[in-house]
Every structure is written in C-alpha cells, then in structure tokens.
Amino acid sequence: MNYADIEKLMNPIIKNFKVYDAMPSNETLIQKYSINSEKIVKLNGNENPFGPAPEVIDNLINIPINTYPDPELIRSRKSLSEYTGLNIENIVVSSGSDELIDLFFRIFVTPGDEVLDFTPTFGMYAVRAGLAGAKIVPVSRNIDFELDYESIKQKVSDKTKIIFLASPNNPTGNESTLEDIEFLLSLNKILVVDEAYFEFSKSSYANLVEKYNNLVVIRSMSKWAGLAGLRVGYGLMSKELAKLLMGVKNPYNVSTVAEESLIVSLKYVDKLMEKVDEIIVQREKLSDALDQIDQIKVYPSKANFLLCKLADNDIQTINNALLNEGVFVRLFATKGLEKCFRVSIGSAEDNEYFYTKLQKVLKIQ
C-alpha cells in the first residue's frame, strides 16, 4: 500500500493541517546555518535561564519511575490549591498548558465552527483550532496590540464557541485589562485566559473563575519554575468544567517526574520568585539599553521577553548575522510582525552578549 492510498483514508482535516512553527533545537540551528561560534546564547524560547529549584534536581533520584502516575494527580492539585487559593475541585493538572488548549478545542469545537484569533498572538491557538476543524477568523489588534472591541463584536457569531486570550500576550508582551475580560465574558462564550507568564506580570484573573462559569485560566510551570523540559501546567476553572476535563484527558497525562517536580517547586516559591524578580530587573535593563538604538523600537513587556521592531534593516539579514554570532532569537511570519524579533530575557551575561552582538550586526560603534 503506497502513501497516496493511505492519504485517501485520512481525515481531510489532517491532510490540510497547518503544522505549528515550533522552535528548532540548538543542534538543528547550528547544522542548518553552519554556525561556528564558540558561544551559543539561546534567547528564542522564553526559557528560564536559572533553571528549576535545586531541590527539584536533588529529588529526581527519589522518584519511582517504575509505577504509573496518579490519574487524579491529587498531590499536585493539593499543592496548586495552596499556591492559587482555589479549591482542588477547580484545578486540572496537564502535560503543559498546550494539552489544555488542545482539550478545550476538542471539547467545544466541531468542524465548521469559528474561532476568533486575536492576531498577533500565540500561534498554537490557531493550529489546534484548525486541527479541530474550525474556521480561523483573524481579528487584528490595534497599533498598541490592544483588543479591538468593535471588530470583535462584528466577527463573533453563533458559530463562535470558545475564545482564547493570552495575558500577557505572546509575542507582544502586553497585558489584558479587567475591562477586556469582562467584555469577552459578556459575549457568552467560553473564555480561556492563558496566563503562562503570570509570575512575571504579577497580574491574574484566576480569582474570577468561581464567579464566572465560562471563565478558564491556564498556566505553565515552564517559564517561572524552569520545568519546560518536563511539560507540566494546570488549569483553573469551575468545578463542573474541571470534572469534565478530568474525565476527557488521558488518565496518565502527567508523568510522575513532572508531578513530583511541580510539587517540590511549589515548596520553594520564594526562591523561585527571587529568580523571577531578577529576570524582571534584567528585562527592564535590556529594554532601556535597546531603547537607545535608533533602528529598533522596543515594545513594553510584562513577560520574560521583549518584542523588538527593526526600522529599516532587513530582518532576515540581521537574524542570519546574529546566528553566525551564536545568538538565537525568534522571528515571526505573522502579519504585522514581519520586521520584528522576540528576544527572551537570559542571564545578565547572556543579555550583554546579545546586546553587544546586536550592535555589531547593526554596525553601531
């Protein structure tokens, strides 16, 4: 049986599926661009430069990996209950927040439904919506990347079932307001607020999930807690929705290693938040430095990254030059971001290296 015959058996949605533009590994970039730099500074993934709490590493040897995880994830949900102030029945633990994104689209979207995409934003929303068979309806943000209420009201319809909103938004870094949240909730759709960068912004709408049954908040342990490689996140929602997701998700969706590392991390929140605060200090320091470069516009950010827009320089030329210097930043094919790059906040040393090499490729003396 050849592949053409196999394709005939496929779901048509899969055949036309748009793959997510995932971040390449260091090895892939080094090989693709023949990079010879002795130093590699990876600032393209919004990862935590300090890594996890040391106690997480120390505990790895104690984790029993020969047994299946707890399908109810009771211990991690109890730890998250203490961290968030919400009841355990309001909490679902997931294999990264990406799993929750996928689950919500599978639960609420059927082929032919419409999903509003507040561009520019996290690309995973449109990808998973497309995989569920939805029609993607772009709704452009304004020049400051704020929501356009009038455009939203014009484009929302009976075919719209669920809305995703990143706050802070990736890749622009700006927060949504309480007015934004209340406006979107008033549309009587499921509203999922993605707070992957909550610990950097210090602003959350999780306190509203018990008031609004159609509000969900999803979060990640990747950024602030340094657990990106373990893929663990969680969602905060009404008890009814949480019960539904607990039934729909895979029974062993979070590995024992990931769950135990989440639990240990939450025992050392103060230590981790000291590192988060250091990243915020470095973010503002780098933003101030980049503001001094005439060729670059830096957008305000409440996350662990900065979005920068080049004035006249060719973005691909600059990116290739940075790659040759061993500096990895993130580009976007999204409309409106063609001349932009996103740089993650690294250590003070890495940020300085990036800044020095950027000046070099821009030929600033």
Side-chain angles (χ1 to χ4, degrees):
M1 189 175 189
N2 59 40
Y3 190 70
D5 291 327
I6 293 174
E7 281 191 310
K8 294 176 183 177
L9 304 177
M10 287 183 187
N11 182 333
I13 293 172
I14 299 296
K15 289 177 64 176
N16 301 314
F17 177 49
K18 177 185 176 183
V19 178
Y20 176 65
D21 182 21
M23 177 186 59
S25 68
N26 285 8
E27 292 75 14
T28 299
L29 288 171
I30 289 169
Q31 182 177 10
K32 180 177 179 179
Y33 293 98
S34 302
I35 298 169
N36 296 314
S37 174
E38 294 183 2
K39 184 177 178 68
I40 298 296
V41 174
K42 187 175 185 291
L43 300 176
N44 59 349
N46 298 345
E47 295 147 328
N48 190 318
F50 301 109
E55 292 80 3
V56 169
I57 304 299
D58 295 339
N59 187 56
L60 291 177
I61 196 171
N62 301 316
I63 299 174
I65 61 173
N66 62 310
T67 58
Y68 285 106
D70 171 17
E72 298 294 318
L73 296 151
I74 297 295
R75 293 177 61 242
S76 54
R77 290 164 68 204
K78 284 183 177 178
S79 295
L80 285 165
S81 177
E82 293 176 8
Y83 179 60
T84 64
L86 291 174
N87 195 291
I88 185 174
E89 282 83 11
N90 295 106
I91 301 170
V92 177
V93 184
S94 59
S95 177
S97 54
D98 286 349
E99 182 190 18
L100 290 171
I101 294 169
D102 184 59
L103 281 173
F104 274 108
F105 278 126
R106 285 201 278 159
I107 290 170
F108 288 102
V109 173
T110 54
D113 285 343
E114 297 178 347
V115 172
L116 306 185
D117 193 32
F118 302 140
T119 57
T121 193
F122 185 37
M124 186 63 74
Y125 308 144
V127 169
R128 304 317 290 186
L131 188 57
K135 175 185 176 183
I136 312 302
V137 181
V139 184
S140 296
R141 294 168 179 260
N142 67 21
I143 194 171
D144 296 316
F145 302 124
E146 297 168 341
L147 297 184
D148 183 336
Y149 291 5
E150 288 305 314
S151 292
I152 293 171
K153 285 190 284 188
Q154 290 173 11
K155 295 188 178 183
V156 71
S157 74
D158 291 339
K159 293 183 178 181
T160 309
K161 306 288 180 59
I162 189 167
I163 294 171
F164 276 79
L165 178 70
S167 181
N169 187 42
N170 178 16
T172 61
N174 60 307
E175 292 180 288
S176 296
T177 65
L178 178 59
E179 183 183 5
D180 293 336
I181 303 300
E182 291 179 336
F183 164 71
L184 293 174
L185 286 169
S186 73
L187 300 176
N188 292 319
K189 314 296 180 181
I190 301 297
L191 173 62
V192 181
V193 180
D194 188 343
E195 293 185 349
Y197 302 93
F198 149 66
E199 282 79 8
F200 300 97
S201 70
K202 318 291 187 184
S203 177
S204 173
Y205 297 104
N207 62 307
L208 299 177
V209 299
E210 291 183 297
K211 179 179 179 181
Y212 297 99
N213 288 331
N214 58 327
L215 174 63
V216 176
V217 170
I218 61 175
R219 292 181 182 167
S220 169
M221 296 294 290
S222 298
K223 322 298 182 184
W224 76 283
L227 302 183
L230 293 182
R231 311 309 303 128
V232 60
Y234 61 97
L236 308 170
M237 64 203 77
S238 71
K239 294 177 181 179
E240 294 80 7
L241 271 180
K243 183 179 180 180
L244 174 64
L245 260 74
M246 290 295 292
V248 172
K249 74 173 183 64
N250 290 326
Y252 308 118
N253 60 322
V254 177
S255 74
T256 305
V257 175
E259 180 178 25
E260 291 297 325
S261 298
L262 179 151
I263 292 168
V264 173
S265 295
L266 293 178
K267 292 178 180 178
Y268 297 95
V269 170
D270 289 346
K271 283 186 178 181
L272 289 169
M273 290 307 295
E274 287 178 5
K275 299 302 183 183
V276 167
D277 291 340
E278 174 60 23
I279 291 171
I280 293 171
V281 168
Q282 291 298 324
R283 179 189 71 200
E284 297 308 305
K285 182 178 179 181
L286 182 58
S287 178
D288 290 343
L290 291 170
D291 264 335
Q292 303 305 309
I293 301 177
D294 291 338
Q295 297 103 309
I296 292 178
K297 176 179 180 178
V298 185
Y299 292 93
S301 174
K302 290 292 185 179
N304 65 339
F305 58 81
L306 294 169
L307 183 69
C308 304
K309 184 175 183 179
L310 295 177
D312 300 315
N313 306 79
D314 178 71
I315 188 71
Q316 287 295 342
T317 300
I318 296 302
N319 186 54
N320 289 341
L322 286 173
L323 285 168
N324 288 331
E325 296 288 351
V327 177
F328 301 164
V329 297
R330 179 81 154 158
L331 304 190
F332 300 92
T334 310
K335 181 181 178 182
L337 299 182
E338 296 89 349
K339 296 179 71 65
C340 294
F341 67 86
R342 189 194 67 197
V343 56
S344 307
I345 305 304
S347 64
E349 178 185 351
D350 285 349
N351 295 338
E352 180 62 30
Y353 186 85
F354 156 72
Y355 183 70
T356 300
K357 296 304 180 182
L358 180 63
Q359 287 182 305
K360 177 182 176 181
V361 302
L362 290 173
K363 296 180 172 54
I364 297 173
Q365 302 302 319

